[in-house]
Amino acid sequence: MATAAVSPSQMTEAEWEARQQLAACYRVFAMLGWSEMIYNHITLKIPGEDGAFLINPFGLHFSEVTASSLVKIDIDGNKLDESPYPVNRAGFVQHALFHRHLPDAHCIMHTHTTAGMAVSSVEGGLRPANFYACNFYGHIAYHDFEGVTVRDEEGVRLLEHLGDKRIMLLRNHGILVMGKTLPEAFLKHWSLQRACEIQVATMSMGVPLEVSDEVVKVHQRDLHMVQIPGGAGAADFAAMVRLVDKIDTGWRA
């Protein structure tokens, strides 16, 4: 069971709201089966605080994370609160790099889902062979596997390979998505995960039918027409949080 590390009285209202949102996200990921033992990470910048972000306490399962147990760290991985929990170096080295250099990367998600790792481990990566894959075709960056991401010098290549994209398949490794908001990043991850799941299923049946570049362009042009007000992913994420609350509301503490 997670132990409270900080209380709302020790922080700004903006930080507590960010903690609640991020804790909810960890519980949603756990509910959807996207956790990986005590590994993987989702980070979120704290509004109004330059160079400060939140990360999961290393040692807790996603289903155990609470708002107060999240660890507040600076861009170099130093703890900025009295949290008793350690931080996974493989988490903050990679995420801090993007938080430092990309002003629009407010939320970053990295997972080792089975489908995400499978698609990142085949020649050609994600192909435009299903509805969700067409959302991303031409907008995904790739980075070759160099081992566990604990070395600062790999950051130069990660940034170079990412370029102007905000979605990356780490080859032989997994999914990495970024968003201007947490709900936006969540929707990207959910859609990419679905694209990967369907590709794995399709390839098990035979040769996929790929959508033409012309149709992909039309599809991407018209995607905004199926979004509802509130910002990218807002309604989707809110729906998932309601489902989590039916299981356990302890993440709010």
Side-chain angles (χ1 to χ4, degrees):
M1 177 66 78
T3 321
V6 292
S7 69
S9 62
Q10 297 173 283
M11 65 194 71
T12 64
E13 183 177 341
E15 180 180 337
W16 184 244
E17 288 178 359
R19 284 176 173 272
Q20 293 249 308
Q21 187 180 58
L22 184 55
C25 190
Y26 275 107
R27 295 302 184 97
V28 169
F29 270 46
M31 179 182 69
L32 293 173
W34 296 344
S35 55
E36 185 86 346
M37 290 282 285
I38 59 171
Y39 304 100
N40 296 173
H41 11 267
I42 310 165
T43 56
L44 182 65
K45 282 184 178 178
I46 299 175
E49 294 189 43
D50 189 34
F53 60 98
L54 299 167
I55 193 169
N56 52 314
F58 193 28
L60 296 188
H61 188 268
F62 281 12
S63 64
E64 297 178 297
V65 172
T66 64
S68 58
S69 68
L70 289 163
V71 186
K72 181 178 180 179
I73 59 176
D74 67 17
I75 211 70
D76 296 312
N78 302 305
K79 287 195 280 188
L80 297 175
D81 58 23
E82 299 301 318
S83 173
Y85 297 103
V87 176
N88 186 353
R89 180 171 174 78
F92 83 76
V93 165
Q94 181 191 89
H95 287 223
L97 166 81
F98 296 118
H99 282 306
R100 185 193 302 271
H101 294 283
L102 306 174
D104 59 331
H106 286 276
C107 181
I108 302 173
M109 302 175 171
H110 171 56
T111 59
H112 291 176
T113 66
T114 300
M117 291 188 78
V119 172
S120 73
S121 302
V122 295
E123 189 72 32
L126 188 68
R127 305 304 303 161
N130 65 68
F131 180 99
Y132 294 112
C134 287
N135 295 5
F136 300 106
Y137 193 62
H139 299 284
I140 296 181
Y142 290 86
H143 174 71
D144 287 343
F145 185 61
E146 297 186 22
V148 62
T149 51
V150 293
R151 290 170 289 103
D152 294 325
E153 50 87 17
E154 187 180 354
V156 175
R157 293 179 292 282
L158 277 163
L159 284 171
E160 179 183 345
H161 295 156
L162 182 69
D164 62 354
K165 299 178 175 62
R166 295 298 179 263
I167 303 166
M168 176 179 274
L169 281 180
L170 301 167
R171 288 196 173 102
N172 311 103
H173 190 167
I175 291 174
L176 180 71
V177 301
M178 308 172 197
K180 295 177 183 177
T181 67
L182 184 148
E184 178 190 291
F186 169 76
L187 183 58
K188 286 180 181 179
H189 189 287
W190 183 89
S191 301
L192 181 55
Q193 171 67 12
R194 286 292 291 139
C196 290
E197 289 171 350
I198 297 166
Q199 178 166 311
V200 170
T202 304
M203 291 180 71
S204 73
M205 299 170 65
V207 179
L209 297 174
E210 293 197 0
V211 179
S212 69
D213 289 349
E214 180 178 306
V215 174
V216 168
K217 289 177 183 177
V218 172
H219 175 77
Q220 292 181 355
R221 182 199 67 195
D222 294 343
L223 271 176
H224 74 280
M225 297 173 67
V226 299
Q227 294 179 358
I228 66 175
D236 311 77
F237 183 66
M240 292 298 101
V241 175
R242 290 194 296 274
L243 290 181
V244 163
D245 275 340
K246 291 179 180 179
I247 301 170
D248 179 16
T249 59
W251 59 269
R252 295 180 179 276

